[in-house]
Every structure is written in C-alpha cells, then in structure tokens.
Amino acid sequence: MENWDDIRAALAVARLGTVSAAGEVLGLHHATVIRRVDALERQLGAKLFQRHGRGYALTDAGRLLLQVAGKADEDFARMQAQISGVAGRVEGDLVVTAVAGFDEVILPALTAAMRKNPGLRITYLADARLFRLSAGEAHIAIRAGARPTEPDYVVQPLARMRHGLVASAAYLRDHGDSHDPAHHRFVSPGPTGQNAPHSRWLRDHVDPANVVMTTSDVAAAEAIIRAGLAIGVLPPARCKGLVALDWPSGWISDLWLVTHVDLHRTPRIQAVLSELRVAVAAR
C-alpha cells in the first residue's frame, strides 16, 4: 500500500460511520476524507462502502479492510504511544474525550496540565461516542454511567454526580409546580445521552409532544431552561440561579477515568489524570 493516510481515513469512516465524524477525529476536512477514501478504492479496485443518506455502510471488502488494517492500526498506535512515553517527558499529543456537560470541571484541569507542561498538546472532544483507546482514537476518556468493562482498559472512579430537574422562576410562574409531567414542557438530551438515568425517566414518563427541544448541546439546553421555555436536567455547575425541583428524586451518574493499560503509566497521561482528580476534589 502506498499511502497509510488513505487507509487511516477509510478506517475512521468504517469505525464511525460518517465522513464528518471521521474528519473530526482525524483533524481533516470532510472533503479530504472523501478524497482519501476514493483514492484507496481506486488503488484496491474495489468499493469499500455503500454510500447512503445516513452515512457509509461497509461492503465485504470494507469489512476485510476493517479487520486486517484495523489490527495493524491498533498495533502502530500502541507502539507510538509506548515509544513516546519512554523518555519520561510530559510532552506530545494527547486526546481527551468526555461526555458533554462537564467542561467546568475538565477544562480547568486541562488548562493546569498545559500550563505546567508547555510541551503538551491536547485535543479535547466533548462527545458521547465511545472512542477506541486501543486504536489511539483517544488516550484518556471520561465516561458516565456503568463502569466500562473492556479488558485492556484501566478504569478508575472520578466522581459521582447528582442530577435533578431544574426550572427558571419565570417558568414556574407561568406553568406552576405540579408534579404531573403532562403539565410541563421539557428539554431532552436526545439519542447521545439515551442511557443516562434521566433520559430513561423522560422516555418512560413524558409524552413526546411535551418535549419542545431535543439537543446534545448542554449550552443550548441551559439557554432554553433559563429562557423559561421548558424544564430539564443540567450538570450541577450550570444550575446556579435555577430552581431545583423535588420531583422526581435526583439521579446519580458515576464518572470514570478510562485509559489503556499499555499507556496508563506514561508521564503525560499521569500528569493529566492527576489534574483531573485535583479539579474534581476542588468541587
């Protein structure tokens, strides 16, 4: 193969399903990703994907690429990360991923790590997708919900967060504080947060007609709630000035620090993990 970059672009599309998601992970414009996939298909003389409106579906040739080249990509990623950590310096590239809504905790930690270690270059992705640590798509993941169980991952508890419904005073003046969900309008986190406890409660108790906005953007949900248009769930750091509703009882979400066993002890990862723990403890 003449160009490993073309293979990596095709692998990212195969793993994530869309060109835009692959471009975000690789730091490439979506047109560049398409160009590299097209070039690889011409070189191989085979179609790797079936294009459709919702994304890219693998052909038989594409599944073979994912199986064989994917394993090589994971091996290269581990080798690169291990070599980078040998020197013991806290420098180089680091990808940190997290569920949306915890920027107030995570960003101060990343800022502190970069201030102490000027050679550290961080890519921060606030996204609900589960990036593959074994393939080098991320080096540190902050995940919410059930404890991750992948065998090659080092999983450590970070925090336990309590969430509840909140509303603005203006909303309560207009709509009252009835405990009946049928009397209220809601913001829903949508499919990206569908496994969160409050998402399950919304699906079970709220008529879809009462959901006035669905968004994975925490800032957008906060804006709608503060405007008095709906009630919803926000991270604790974003609830200042809002009224906490006493129904239903608060939901608990566990946050986990996740790293790959091969990279966990490298200085740059330990430096960022340390700052994350300090930032959480300060709150």
Side-chain angles (χ1 to χ4, degrees):
M1 304 302 298
E2 295 178 1
N3 194 338
W4 181 251
D5 288 338
D6 293 346
I7 298 175
R8 291 189 67 237
L11 282 174
V13 174
R15 288 165 174 164
L16 301 174
T18 67
V19 167
S20 58
E24 181 180 359
V25 169
L26 296 174
L28 299 174
H29 191 276
H30 69 274
T32 302
V33 177
I34 293 173
R35 186 166 61 252
R36 288 183 173 175
V37 170
D38 290 344
L40 182 61
E41 288 184 328
R42 286 194 301 271
Q43 184 179 358
L44 294 173
K47 285 292 183 183
L48 301 173
F49 304 97
Q50 292 290 341
R51 281 75 164 171
H52 54 78
R54 296 183 303 276
Y56 279 43
L58 287 167
T59 64
D60 288 343
R63 281 188 283 273
L64 182 59
L65 172 85
L66 182 61
Q67 176 185 348
V68 177
K71 176 63 167 59
D73 189 45
E74 293 178 8
D75 290 341
F76 284 138
R78 282 196 295 271
M79 178 189 69
Q80 180 183 13
Q82 289 171 333
I83 291 173
S84 297
V86 167
R89 295 187 297 271
V90 182
E91 60 183 26
D93 297 322
L94 194 68
V95 180
V96 180
T97 72
V99 291
F102 297 97
D103 292 354
E104 289 85 354
V105 175
I106 296 169
L107 290 179
L110 300 184
T111 301
M114 295 170 69
R115 184 176 291 117
K116 294 177 181 177
N117 306 284
L120 195 61
R121 298 180 299 275
I122 294 178
T123 297
Y124 174 54
L125 302 173
D127 198 308
R129 294 198 302 272
L130 297 182
F131 293 88
R132 292 159 53 93
L133 276 64
S134 60
E137 293 176 354
H139 302 108
I140 297 174
I142 299 166
R143 296 186 180 175
R147 184 186 182 99
T149 58
E150 289 89 340
D152 292 334
Y153 288 1
V154 176
V155 180
Q156 300 173 306
L158 177 62
R160 174 161 281 191
M161 312 292 288
R162 178 178 292 275
H163 301 270
L165 289 169
V166 294
S168 69
Y171 176 91
L172 295 177
R173 284 196 301 269
D174 293 340
H175 297 271
D177 59 356
S178 167
H179 290 194
D180 184 353
H183 294 165
H184 292 284
R185 297 155 63 86
F186 293 85
V187 176
S188 168
T192 57
Q194 62 185 350
N195 294 322
H198 57 274
S199 295
R200 293 195 293 270
W201 184 88
L202 286 169
R203 288 197 300 272
D204 293 341
H205 295 87
V206 176
D207 188 321
N210 287 32
V211 177
V212 300
M213 175 177 275
T214 298
T215 178
S216 59
D217 188 318
V218 177
E222 181 182 359
I224 294 300
I225 293 170
R226 291 192 182 278
L229 299 176
I231 63 179
V233 176
L234 293 173
R238 289 182 176 264
C239 293
K240 185 176 181 180
L242 296 172
V243 179
L245 306 181
D246 60 0
W247 62 276
S249 58
W251 298 283
I252 300 295
S253 292
D254 290 316
L255 289 182
W256 306 95
L257 284 174
V258 187
T259 55
H260 194 276
V261 65
D262 290 343
L263 310 178
H264 177 70
R265 293 294 179 188
T266 56
R268 57 194 172 127
I269 285 182
Q270 285 298 313
V272 174
L273 293 180
S274 176
E275 294 297 342
L276 285 166
R277 295 189 191 97
V278 169
V280 169
R283 288 180 174 268

